[in-house]
Structure formats: C-alpha cells, structure tokens
Amino acid sequence: MSTGEGLGVAIDWGVGRYEPTGEYLRPVSEVVVGLSGALAGKSVVDVGCGTGNAALMAAERGAVVTGVDPAARLLEVARERAAAEQVEVNFVAGDAASIAVADQSADLVLSVFGTIFAPDGEAAIAELVRVTAPGGIIRFTAWPPGGPLSAINKVAEQFMAEVMGKPAEAGTAAPGTTAPGTAVGAAGRVTGVAVPVIAVAAQPKPFAWFDVDVVRAAFAPYGFEVELARRGLEFREVSPEAYLAKGAQHPMSVSAMSALAGHPDGKELEAELLSRLRAVITEVNEDPPAFKSTNDYVILTAQRA
C-alpha cells in the first residue's frame, strides 16, 4: 500500500481493476518508449509498471526488461499479457524507493505515472539514480496542475478531506496533480449528511514531479541534468456515465469507497461522492453526449551531465 496524499486514505493498488486506466494511458507509454530510440539489447526497468504497457513495448523492441510494481495482482496481469504477446519480461515486486535490480545496471529507467505516487520523492530519485548505468537515461511522466483530470481529482480530494477531517495544511492533493483540499467545517457535515469526523495526521507535502525546477534541484546533487517536454492525452468514452463507471474501478476509487463504507452513513456518503464526480465530469466534458477530456502531461528526462 501507499498513501493517497489527497484522499487521506491508504491505497491498495491490488484492489479494483486498474486495467481500464492502463488502456487510457497506453498512448503515453507509446510516446515514452518511442522517445527512447533503439532498445535492442539494452537493459530497461519500468518502475510502477502496472499492467505492463511500457515494459511490454520495450521488450517488443528487443530490450531486456524488468517491470517493477508493488501490486501482486497487477504483476500477474502483466505476466499474463507478456505470455499472450510472446515477449519476455521479468516482473518483480518493488516500488520507486525499492527497485530490485543491481546498482548502475539499467540503460533506461522508465516510469509512466508511477514515481509520482512515491511517498518520498527524494528517496525515489536516489533509487532511480542508483540503478541507472553510466550514460543511462531516466524518463518519467507526471500530471501538471490544471485541466480536467485535476478538476475531477480535486472534487474527490475535497470530499474526502471533509469526511476524514483532513487539515487544510496537510499538503497538496494527489502527487503531480492539483491544489490543497478543503478542511472539514466545525459541524462536520457534507451537504446535510452528518459525518463522524476522524482526525488524521498531516501528510508531508507531495513532491512536485511535474515541476522541472524542483526535479532539477533534486537530481543536481547526483550530477544529472533534466529536460521537460509537454504532451496531451485524450480520454474518450461513449458517455460521461461510462467514464465514471470505469473510474470507479480504479484502486484509488475503490480504496476511497472502502474508507467511506466504514462510516455509519457510508451509503449516503458514497452516493454524494458519485453525485459530485458526475457533476464535474459533465462540466469538463468536451464532447457531449459522448465523453472526451484532453489532459496535458509532462515527460521529464534525466541523464548525467
């Protein structure tokens, strides 16, 4: 498990179904792997590999690939995909701060929206540097603040802050995404539903993976230079409801709903959260009655000077 900074709950990445999100993000893996050029014979590590998108693409290009993820279920999904696609990838348990490969062994370290969930950004960077070979490259993606995805996440984060009694000064929302959530009012109520507020400890401010200046400063002691590129990604569904339904399967959503279920008014709270999410999804929709949202993301590339 890792802590969901903005949601104020622990996230178990093995629950729910991450697969729909993996499909949404597949084009990003294509871009990231494509930027990496010829990979035949190179050692590649995919950190936070999830269902294996980037790892499998790198393997198809002839790389020797290790996929790392903390969720056993996602690793099994990735292994099944590798077998079906007849490519060889070594999928192992681990996370951005604990990568099970030797020092300076990776020619390319990739992470498609994986490192952004590391609870300690500087520790994660130290580990990424440790496994990167001389002349190697680290390339990862992050969501900058603003845009439809941030708007949707902010609604969920503010709602959970109200329910969980998270202090406003507890830091920013989910890593790489949006602004601080709102603390619960003294009455402890959410749109008329009485909420038994549970105090939670303030979390450290998440590392700003999207901010090239912050990332450069963190990599500088290791002698790495960092460059940033911007891209856009479209999410499409047949309707806003279809998008909401797929989002409800995400491990973060399942973890949040599980936390709400522990309250006496859990069912009412779940319904209220879904209502708020439905409203913001409708608001950001670019293509009604279908659904489309365009989200900017950044690609950061680090290599030794």
Side-chain angles (χ1 to χ4, degrees):
M1 285 190 179
S2 61
T3 300
E5 310 287 351
L7 294 180
V9 299
I11 301 170
D12 181 351
W13 290 96
V15 302
R17 292 187 75 253
Y18 185 76
E19 290 91 321
T21 298
E23 282 303 306
Y24 285 145
L25 301 181
R26 183 179 178 85
V28 180
S29 292
E30 292 172 351
V31 171
V32 170
V33 174
L35 286 172
S36 303
L39 294 178
K42 291 188 176 181
S43 174
V44 175
V45 177
D46 181 9
V47 180
C49 64
T51 56
N53 284 342
L56 295 174
M57 292 175 192
E60 288 168 357
R61 290 171 172 247
V64 179
V65 184
T66 299
V68 180
D69 201 274
R73 193 190 79 81
L74 296 184
L75 289 172
E76 189 57 35
V77 170
R79 291 187 187 107
E80 291 173 358
R81 291 183 62 194
E85 297 178 23
Q86 297 184 329
V87 295
E88 186 173 343
V89 178
N90 181 30
F91 289 106
V92 298
D95 56 37
S98 181
I99 303 171
V101 302
D103 293 359
Q104 299 187 350
S105 61
D107 299 307
L108 176 64
V109 181
L110 302 175
S111 185
V112 178
F113 304 114
T115 59
I116 62 173
F117 291 101
D120 185 337
E122 293 187 352
I125 285 174
E127 183 71 347
L128 296 174
V129 168
R130 178 189 70 79
V131 304
T132 304
I137 292 174
I138 300 168
R139 181 167 287 125
F140 58 89
T141 61
W143 302 109
L149 188 60
S150 282
I152 294 168
N153 286 346
K154 186 175 182 179
V155 166
E157 290 154 3
Q158 289 183 334
F159 182 86
M160 294 303 293
E162 293 170 11
V163 173
M164 305 303 289
K166 181 180 177 182
E169 66 273 19
T172 62
T177 53
T178 187
T182 303
V184 68
R189 302 182 67 83
V190 180
T191 61
V193 179
V195 178
V197 176
I198 299 175
V200 295
Q203 300 292 330
K205 184 177 180 180
F207 187 81
W209 292 99
F210 58 84
D211 188 325
V212 68
D213 292 330
V214 170
V215 176
R216 279 175 177 158
F219 272 101
Y222 303 101
F224 276 67
E225 294 182 344
V226 179
E227 297 299 328
L228 178 146
R230 295 183 179 274
R231 296 288 192 277
L233 176 66
E234 290 184 355
F235 292 164
R236 288 183 176 270
E237 280 298 338
V238 295
S239 68
E241 284 295 332
Y243 180 76
L244 180 61
K246 285 191 176 180
Q249 300 176 55
H250 191 286
M252 293 179 71
S253 299
V254 174
S255 297
M257 289 301 185
S258 178
L260 294 178
H263 288 272
D265 295 318
K267 292 295 183 182
E268 291 86 350
L269 293 173
E270 290 177 21
E272 174 62 22
L273 175 55
L274 288 173
S275 176
R276 294 192 189 188
L277 289 173
R278 188 175 291 109
V280 69
I281 288 170
T282 300
E283 181 181 340
V284 302
N285 187 10
E286 301 167 18
D287 188 27
F291 177 79
K292 171 188 170 185
S293 70
T294 305
N295 299 275
D296 291 338
Y297 67 95
V298 294
I299 304 170
L300 293 108
T301 300
Q303 55 189 129
R304 289 182 175 87

